[in-house]
Amino acid sequence: MKIENPNPIQWQFSERAQQLQSSAIREILKITQRPEIISFAGGLPSPATFPVERMKAAYDKVLSENGKQALQYGPTDGYAPLREWVANYLSTEGSKIVPEQILMVSGSQQALDLLGKVLIDEGSRVLVETPSYLGALQAFSVYRPEFQSVETDDHGLVPSSIEPLAKGARLLYSLPNFQNPTGRSLSIERRRELVETCARLGLPLIEDDPYGALSYKGEPMPRMLSMNPDGVIYMGSFSKVLTPGIRLGYVVAPLPLVRRLELAKQAADLHTATLTQMVVHEVVKDGFLNEHIPTIRNLYANQCQVMLDAMAEQFPEGVTWTRPEGGMFIWVTLPKHIDAMKLLDQAIAARVAFVPGAPFYANKPETNTLRLSFVTVPPERIREGIATLGKLIKDQM
Amino acid sequence: MKIENPNPIQWQFSERAQQLQSSAIREILKITQRPEIISFAGGLPSPATFPVERMKAAYDKVLSENGKQALQYGPTDGYAPLREWVANYLSTEGSKIVPEQILMVSGSQQALDLLGKVLIDEGSRVLVETPSYLGALQAFSVYRPEFQSVETDDHGLVPSSIEPLAKGARLLYSLPNFQNPTGRSLSIERRRELVETCARLGLPLIEDDPYGALSYKGEPMPRMLSMNPDGVIYMGSFSKVLTPGIRLGYVVAPLPLVRRLELAKQAADLHTATLTQMVVHEVVKDGFLNEHIPTIRNLYANQCQVMLDAMAEQFPEGVTWTRPEGGMFIWVTLPKHIDAMKLLDQAIAARVAFVPGAPFYANKPETNTLRLSFVTVPPERIREGIATLGKLIKDQM
């Protein structure tokens, strides 16, 4: 059936496609999935925390009771009872969230893509933290913005540094709780100042919050969403508190924006799987997360402490790192002359892996930084891997 | 916690977002979901065909045997065994498809979005059939192409009309089997001519094929993919042969393109749900579709015939329609002076609904056309609805 002598196609990709790059992390992960490697590189939650039996029972129940509906097309904005649950979950005494503000998405990465699609033109100014979440940089990059890196310190983003960068900006993207990659959190005073600054400047503030519930002390910080629901776009996810492989998250936005996001989602993939949304609603509707999340927190808090203790013991003077109070990541700063990318080559040869920090910077990378995750590695292997890393770093001092 | 006196945000949407429109169909569907309305408007498959028990057993099996893997993040290109299954399914004697050419996507609507993202710049020429699938027009529109409408006749797209429109074009989008909206299929000679023409012009040819397996006579037409795997981009879906609410499809493309699509997907939503892919693989791997698809065909063929018979009886002279040999849709052409949009208002008042044809045209709409779906309406209600429609049309002759 083949036709003869076809011309080979000279592919002409769109300008935006020409700058698509694979996430450095996903490339590193391919190398580091060999079992002999102790990998601190992953951004994956620990599968030990996945409530497999609970999910299985929910799939069985939903398919038994509402199988035809669960397997049929559904509305673009999402499964109504789950949107109601999310609205209740996010409402506070002073600040009520309504289901109409909520769009269910296929993981919060999709919310980043839709926000970029709807808010960013070529050359639009977009403000991000220094460093920032790589997946956000990647999603926004497709729409070719001009990134402005906002100053950060040990307490996270510095609100007073925003105004000089904000002229004509379309959005500020922040990850205030146990940030990926640094593990830092924004203090309550900073949150307030950030919300006020953005409100004064008329600058839409994105609050990306995948890790907020994973506070080791149990008391999550107040959401910036609650401080100004008309100016804050909030992104939530079931990936870190339930399971990531089902791809389910949500975005909460003021009505004019959420309707645009809904139209963009309709064109992008019609809607997120009906069955997935019904099952997650079945799992969470009676308070399951209240009993489940503490088990995740305990596991991660313990492994984080093991890593921090090992670092204190094994890393030489001149190396500094963050001390996260939640989430999945520790951020390490080496002496200026050590290039984390080169260190990675040596580390992999010694069967340890991490993610170099450079790809997390929108503009000038600090090449002496790296990200460590402790959540999928057992304590004994954490100690072993940190000892190896410490030795490699000492060799370069 | 709320801050005081925030400035209301003056939303500045991207240029592409300003032209986002809701699909006319989804708006009509909202009106026509009341149970008293006989709706020929839907594009939904019949839930009577959903293999609920089979799916339930597969969810149970996958979660019991591989729960942790199924609920974890997965690779962007898809679950390897399912990609292998798809590659085998699509391979023919003369034309082997390899898994590396396949990207799993969240329903084939996502493939349309990714193709638009990677191939279309503002003002890029894009060739489409007249009329064409609304979801494709919607997905591509986001990237602001210049649509060129290619001539069609009763045998589908007319290949000889392509060349004058093709200069600098980025792609030609076609739906050769039981097209949505017309129900028409491209003849085998036309397929060959189309593939040859596109190959000669170096024009990427998209073959969107959600309905190909639903041939009432059982023998699917050869895929254009097999005629020129280096020049044809093929889109497949599990929505019409299994269930749509799980959102699972795939795109097959030459390697340079499929790698770009994969990068675009990584930025858009990381990957399609692992669990969904493992479950579908479990369902289809031992040939289930071979026994299942004929039951769908039989149901649809029967209801299609009921509708065609009722139309022959009830519709006045001067009205013409297609006679599909598969798929889900019949396309009706009214006398020029009847506007299907106005007819819809009268029809809804008389408790019957359909989709007016105008939104399916990229350029000059023919307002005297409409699309009917017969798959979700029982025979008795098909007869009743067509009788009502026939009466309304006669009143306007």
Side-chain angles (χ1 to χ4, degrees), chain B residues 37-321:
Chain B
I37 288 191
I38 299 175
S39 180
F40 304 135
L44 314 182
S46 169
T49 67
F50 298 166
V52 176
E53 288 306 314
R54 187 90 187 195
M55 296 290 288
K56 198 169 78 172
Y59 274 101
D60 192 78
K61 180 154 192 260
V62 170
L63 285 169
S64 299
E65 295 177 0
N66 287 299
K68 307 273 187 195
Q69 181 195 352
L71 296 173
Q72 186 59 289
Y73 285 116
T76 300
D77 51 12
Y79 178 58
L82 185 58
R83 290 168 75 215
E84 274 167 44
W85 182 90
V86 171
N88 273 330
Y89 181 76
L90 296 178
S91 288
T92 60
E93 199 150 325
S95 177
K96 189 169 160 55
I97 304 298
V98 295
E100 290 68 29
Q101 286 172 267
I102 292 165
L103 176 68
M104 301 305 302
V105 290
S106 304
S108 62
Q109 183 71 28
Q110 187 180 43
L112 293 167
D113 178 56
L114 297 175
L115 285 164
K117 203 175 243 179
V118 162
L119 290 173
I120 302 175
D121 283 310
E122 186 179 342
S124 296
R125 206 168 255 217
V126 165
L127 275 54
V128 295
E129 296 166 299
T130 310
S132 186
Y133 170 52
L134 184 56
L137 298 179
Q138 211 186 359
F140 296 156
S141 285
V142 172
Y143 304 103
R144 310 174 76 203
E146 177 202 303
F147 283 118
Q148 293 285 342
S149 295
V150 179
E151 196 184 324
T152 55
D153 63 19
D154 287 347
H155 308 287
L157 191 147
V158 179
S160 61
S161 66
I162 292 172
E163 186 159 1
L165 306 174
K167 195 172 155 51
R170 295 288 173 88
L171 61 92
L172 187 158
Y173 171 75
S174 73
L175 206 163
N177 292 312
F178 322 120
Q179 195 222 22
N180 183 353
T182 63
R184 282 183 198 131
S185 286
L186 208 55
S187 71
I188 176 88
E189 296 75 20
R190 284 272 176 98
R191 278 167 211 247
R192 215 177 161 80
E193 202 186 334
L194 177 57
V195 172
E196 280 171 348
T197 303
C198 289
R200 182 166 52 79
L201 299 170
L203 177 64
L205 170 60
I206 298 181
E207 178 178 26
D208 187 4
D209 191 21
Y211 314 108
L214 303 182
S215 163
Y216 303 156
K217 294 175 179 168
E219 272 309 309
M221 293 276 253
R223 295 185 194 90
M224 296 190 289
L225 174 68
S226 310
M227 301 179 189
N228 184 16
D230 295 325
V232 174
I233 301 151
Y234 181 89
M235 295 167 47
S237 170
F238 292 100
S239 291
K240 309 305 187 297
V241 295
L242 210 54
T243 79
I246 54 171
R247 313 304 302 125
L248 189 62
Y250 46 88
V251 55
V252 188
L255 295 180
L257 177 59
V258 82
R259 288 288 79 78
R260 291 278 156 173
L261 294 172
E262 182 186 350
L263 292 176
K265 179 163 170 71
Q266 190 181 109
D269 66 359
L270 296 183
H271 66 88
T272 293
T274 322
L275 176 58
T276 305
Q277 296 183 68
M278 290 176 76
V279 163
V280 167
H281 179 251
E282 177 62 32
V283 169
V284 301
K285 70 185 167 63
D286 297 322
F288 172 69
L289 291 182
N290 295 335
E291 47 182 282
H292 181 59
I293 290 174
T295 67
I296 309 176
R297 282 182 196 138
N298 290 343
L299 179 76
Y300 291 3
N302 178 45
Q303 289 177 194
C304 182
Q305 195 55 53
V306 170
M307 186 174 271
L308 289 170
D309 291 346
M311 290 164 83
E313 202 173 303
Q314 304 285 351
F315 280 9
E317 210 168 321
V319 180
T320 60
W321 55 89

Side-chain angles (χ1 to χ4, degrees), chain B residues 2-30:
Chain B
K2 274 196 184 174
I3 63 163
E4 279 164 43
N5 305 322
N7 280 348
I9 289 190
Q10 305 295 324
W11 290 102
Q12 190 178 353
F13 297 122
S14 64
E15 290 183 16
R16 78 183 73 76
Q18 290 170 32
Q19 60 192 16
L20 278 170
Q21 289 185 346
S22 183
S23 144
I25 293 184
R26 287 182 86 88
E27 293 307 304
I28 291 166
L29 286 178
K30 283 185 191 168

